[in-house]
Structure formats: C-alpha cells, structure tokens
C-alpha cells in the first residue's frame, strides 16, 4: 500500500502571540531549553507548553537536536539584533552598555557555553559550527560598539574584541547565585550599573 504524501502546510497557522506556528514553537522551546537545560526538555514538553500536538512539533523540527539548534540560533539572532539596536540609541556609550547589561541579565540563567558543552555529543559538527557562528556575531556586534566609542574619543580601548569578551564575562557575575539563592545584587539595574562602572574605570579617557 502506498504511503500517503505529507499534506502541504499551505498558509501556516498562527498562535495568539501573532507568530506562525513554527516560530511560536521556537520561542517556547528556547525558553524551556534555557531554563531547564537540554536533557530535561522533551518534545512532548515543548508541545504541551506551545499548545500544539507533538506531531506538529515533529512536523517542523524532526529531531530534538534540530529543534535545539534552531531555537538557540533564534535566541542568538534576537540578542545580536537587540545589542545593535541599543548601541544605535542616543546617549553616552556608558548608558548604552548599562542597557545592554540589563537586557542580558534578564535572560534565563543557563549559559550557551555550558549548554553547548553538555550537548556536544548530540550535535553534528555542522550544528556546532552554526551555533558558534551566531554566538561569535554577538561579540562582533559588541566589538564594533567598543571600536566606535574609541574612535569617537569616549573610551580608551586598544583591543575592542578582547574588551567585548571581558564585558560579557563580567556580566555573568551579575547572575551568580549562592546556595541560599541570594545574589550579589538586589536587582538587574544595580548589577548592570556596578559592573559597567567597574569596567568603565579601565576604559574611560
């Protein structure tokens, strides 16, 4: 008996958020992966939280690995675009660094680096390269910001790329939590202000 052909999607259904189903699934999956880690998230969990059937998830993303990579790429693209938007805003470079820091600290607290290490054996080399390419784009956007600020005389910065990496590493201190779930800072705003102030002492003119 001949297997029936896969029914074409036609016009994709849209969720309440106004997103096509595939994008809605990616949005939900990215939150689940970043909040719970790769191993703890199942395709069924993504379907339940997305309000769609598991078959719908598999239709768009045939494997969990493909869903993970696609959702993380979507996150990285959104973060890069957000960084570029904030860097283009008026105001001092220090103010823009604080806005970027506040946005970073609002993201769920599982780092791409740690998660990528845990899923290394699940992903193909091509999938790893895809994630690395988009993660590097974040640092390149920040590098451009530091380089532009140095050219305009706002800061002293001999190595914008290194400074971008140091900046992100410092932001991770703002996420640090202890066994009693206490943080070094009372709010994201306080963390962003103090971290940027510390960095600023080393780069301002």
């Amino acid at each position: 008996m001949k297997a029936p052909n896969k029914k074409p999607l036609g016009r994709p259904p849209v969720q309440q958020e106004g997103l096509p189903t595939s994008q809605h699934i990616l949005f939900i999956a990215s939150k689940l992966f970043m909040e719970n880690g790769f191993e703890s998230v199942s395709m069924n969990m993504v379907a339940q939280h997305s309000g769609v059937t598991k078959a719908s998830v598999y239709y768009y993303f045939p494997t969990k690995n493909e869903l993970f990579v696609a959702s993380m790429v979507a996150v990285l693209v959104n973060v890069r675009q957000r960084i570029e938007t904030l860097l283009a805003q008026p105001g001092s470079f220090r103010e823009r660094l604080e806005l970027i820091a506040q946005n970073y600290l609002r993201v769920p607290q599982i780092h791409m680096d740690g998660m990528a290490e845990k899923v290394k054996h699940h992903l193909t080399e091509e999938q790893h390269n895809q994630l690395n390419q988009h993660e590097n784009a974040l640092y390149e956007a920040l590098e451009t910001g530091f380089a532009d600020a140095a050219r305009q005389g706002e800061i002293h910065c001999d190595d914008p790329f290194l400074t971008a990496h140091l900046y992100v590493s410092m932001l991770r201190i703002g996420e640090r939590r202890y066994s009693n779930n206490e943080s070094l800072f009372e709010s994201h705003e306080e963390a962003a202000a103090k971290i940027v102030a510390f960095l600023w002492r080393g780069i301002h003119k």
Side-chain angles (χ1 to χ4, degrees), residues 59-150:
Y59 185 96
Y60 292 104
F61 308 100
T63 68
K64 179 178 170 180
N65 295 356
E66 291 177 74
L67 175 60
F68 172 77
V69 172
S71 63
M72 291 301 98
V73 165
V75 168
L76 292 169
V77 169
N78 287 336
V79 171
R80 176 183 57 79
Q81 291 174 343
R82 183 62 176 157
I83 288 172
E84 292 172 344
T85 297
L86 291 172
L87 286 172
Q89 287 188 359
S92 71
F93 184 59
R94 179 171 178 170
E95 290 171 339
R96 284 174 276 157
L97 287 180
E98 286 193 25
L99 288 174
I100 292 170
Q102 290 174 21
N103 277 260
Y104 174 93
L105 293 169
R106 292 190 184 107
V107 173
Q109 310 304 313
I110 293 181
H111 297 300
M112 289 294 299
D113 289 345
M115 194 157 27
E117 184 64 28
K118 290 180 181 178
V119 303
K120 183 183 295 185
H121 61 287
H122 293 290
L123 305 183
T124 65
E125 182 178 356
E126 181 180 356
Q127 288 172 328
H128 273 294
N129 291 339
Q130 188 179 4
L131 288 175
N132 288 336
Q133 176 185 355
H134 285 280
E135 187 173 15
N136 289 339
L138 303 184
Y139 291 101
E140 290 166 1
L142 289 169
E143 176 188 16
T144 298
F146 281 105
D148 288 344

